[in-house]
Amino acid sequence: MVEIEVCGFKLNIEEIGRGKPHQTEIAGETATVYKHKIKVTNIKTNGYIYFTYHGSVNDYMNGKDKLTDYDLVTAFRFWLEDCNYGTMSFGDFAKELGYTDCGKAYNVWSLCRRGLKRIGKIGVTHDDLTELINALIEYEEEVEDEKAK
């Protein structure tokens, strides 16, 4: 569990349980990764959301089924970046990400749109998204700089 304060948000990010093995498709092949359930709580409002995060094949191969604090922040940022794609029109989304299969593109875009609606539960607006994503990147860079010392 990690508690961070960025962009006026005081957030608690925690993993619920341990990652569970999950079959997924990566570059057209089936691979096993850990699927993690993450809860983010806005400490000021007690609003919260859950989302899932798929770890890497490398993490699975090395038995890393628990996320570090750094991993939790990174997973949340990745999820927010996905939500940010929900601000795009479907056509722009498919073109930006190079989708050729409209059905797959629509399914993924719909998930991004759903996430975009859910972030309001923790008080994040569309206008906050880019600033919050950038603040989380800065947080991650500071942690990496500390590790390097």
Side-chain angles (χ1 to χ4, degrees):
M1 178 175 73
V2 62
E3 189 176 297
I4 60 171
E5 195 161 347
V6 290
C7 297
F9 293 98
K10 192 170 185 180
L11 302 169
N12 181 27
I13 307 171
E14 63 185 305
E15 183 174 6
I16 306 301
R18 295 186 98 67
K20 307 270 189 277
H22 177 74
Q23 297 286 313
T24 191
E25 186 179 313
I26 300 173
E29 295 188 27
T30 301
T32 303
V33 298
Y34 285 115
K35 183 178 181 180
H36 304 273
K37 184 174 183 178
I38 299 173
K39 180 181 181 182
V40 179
T41 304
N42 181 330
I43 296 170
K44 293 178 182 176
T45 66
N46 285 326
Y48 61 90
I49 53 169
Y50 292 96
F51 67 94
T52 56
Y53 170 74
H54 295 94
S56 69
V57 173
N58 188 49
D59 285 350
Y60 179 79
M61 299 293 283
N62 290 308
K64 183 180 176 191
D65 64 349
K66 191 78 176 148
L67 299 174
T68 65
D69 289 351
Y70 179 86
D71 295 336
L72 289 168
V73 172
T74 301
F76 180 50
R77 177 177 57 85
F78 287 162
W79 186 75
L80 288 175
E81 288 173 344
D82 289 348
C83 292
N84 206 23
Y85 281 118
T87 64
M88 302 171 90
S89 71
F90 172 67
D92 288 345
F93 171 84
K95 185 177 178 181
E96 173 87 14
L97 296 176
Y99 277 100
T100 54
D101 181 328
C102 286
K104 268 188 179 176
Y106 188 80
N107 287 339
V108 174
W109 179 74
S110 295
L111 290 171
C112 295
R113 296 283 297 174
R114 194 173 316 142
L116 185 62
K117 290 177 185 175
R118 290 178 49 220
I119 61 172
K121 292 181 178 182
I122 58 170
V124 176
T125 66
H126 298 166
D127 295 337
D128 298 326
L129 254 181
T130 301
E131 186 179 354
L132 183 54
I133 289 167
N134 289 334
L136 291 171
I137 290 169
E138 286 178 28
Y139 175 89
E140 291 169 87
E141 289 171 350
E142 288 171 12
V143 170
E144 287 174 6
D145 289 346
E146 282 298 313
K147 281 186 195 177
K149 288 182 182 178

